[in-house]
Amino acid sequence: SNHTDIIVNSQNETRRHAINKTRGHLWWKRTETVGYDTEIITHHTANISDLQKNINDFNNRAMEIINNRFNGILNIAELRERIKASVIGAFDISDKNFDENTILMPLESALRKITIPCLNFNIEKYYSLIDKKLSGIISGGTVKDDNIGSLLVAQQEILDKMRSDLTNSISSQCDVLASNLQQQASAFIDDIVQQLEENS
């Protein structure tokens, strides 16, 4: 609802109509102007650029909120430090033959695989929906008078479509994150052991 503003501009047009009167009889008739009637017509216009801006602003704000929430799910830096401390704690660090770097290098490599997805959303298809939904009523980047209602309906439909697509993308990204963490959890120790053996 914060991204639905469409500015409607109004402009008055004044039209003058002559008031004519016919005088005379039969063959001697003549028409003369006896005055003028003034009519004021108000035209309304709205720019398509407002809808494009609303789509862009909605997308930017949604991406900001979604990616902040994804980052809030897991503090990756903190998680990595806790795992590192746990793994190092499993070794006897008082042993003079113990080389912490031998463990830290493969550990760092394994930890780099733990990532939070960043959601990117292509909004170009929503811009093309504008032309599809408003075909034939756009003139010079604006819609006029009764067509402004069509613009507002098109905007609501496009934003609803974006919201639905974003919801599906979030759900998909959550599945990817869960799958990624599951894979990393099951392969984590094996990866470290393998890299330790390779570096020995």
Side-chain angles (χ1 to χ4, degrees), residues 3 54-70 119-121 123 159 162-163 165-167 170:
H3 306 287
N54 288 340
I55 289 171
N56 192 52
D57 290 349
F58 176 76
N59 179 67
N60 290 341
R61 183 66 181 128
M63 290 303 98
E64 179 186 347
I65 292 169
I66 292 164
N67 287 320
N68 283 342
R69 295 285 164 89
F70 268 131
L119 186 65
N120 289 311
F121 201 63
I123 60 171
L159 292 178
M162 285 181 74
R163 188 172 56 244
D165 291 349
L166 278 167
T167 301
I170 291 167

Side-chain angles (χ1 to χ4, degrees), residues 73-163:
I73 291 171
L74 283 176
N75 183 333
I76 292 295
E78 181 184 318
L79 177 65
R80 287 176 177 167
E81 287 305 313
R82 287 173 56 193
I83 292 172
K84 199 186 296 184
S86 294
V87 171
I88 294 295
F91 290 89
D92 181 8
I93 55 174
S94 63
D95 183 351
K96 62 181 179 183
N97 294 325
F98 177 73
D99 180 7
E100 191 173 315
N101 287 330
T102 306
I103 294 175
L104 284 180
M105 285 176 53
L107 180 58
E108 288 288 348
S109 176
L111 289 173
R112 276 195 294 273
K113 293 177 184 175
I114 301 174
T115 59
I116 294 288
C118 183
L119 186 65
N120 289 311
F121 201 63
N122 183 356
I123 60 171
E124 292 303 317
K125 67 178 180 180
Y126 303 104
Y127 290 145
S128 64
L129 274 178
I130 295 172
D131 294 333
K132 210 179 278 185
K133 289 186 177 292
L134 301 175
S135 177
I137 65 171
I138 301 173
S139 173
T142 63
V143 293
K144 297 180 180 174
D145 298 323
D146 294 340
N147 292 325
I148 292 173
S150 298
L151 171 65
L152 297 175
V153 168
Q155 174 174 256
Q156 191 59 51
E157 289 173 352
I158 291 170
L159 292 178
D160 285 346
K161 173 83 172 123
M162 285 181 74
R163 188 172 56 244

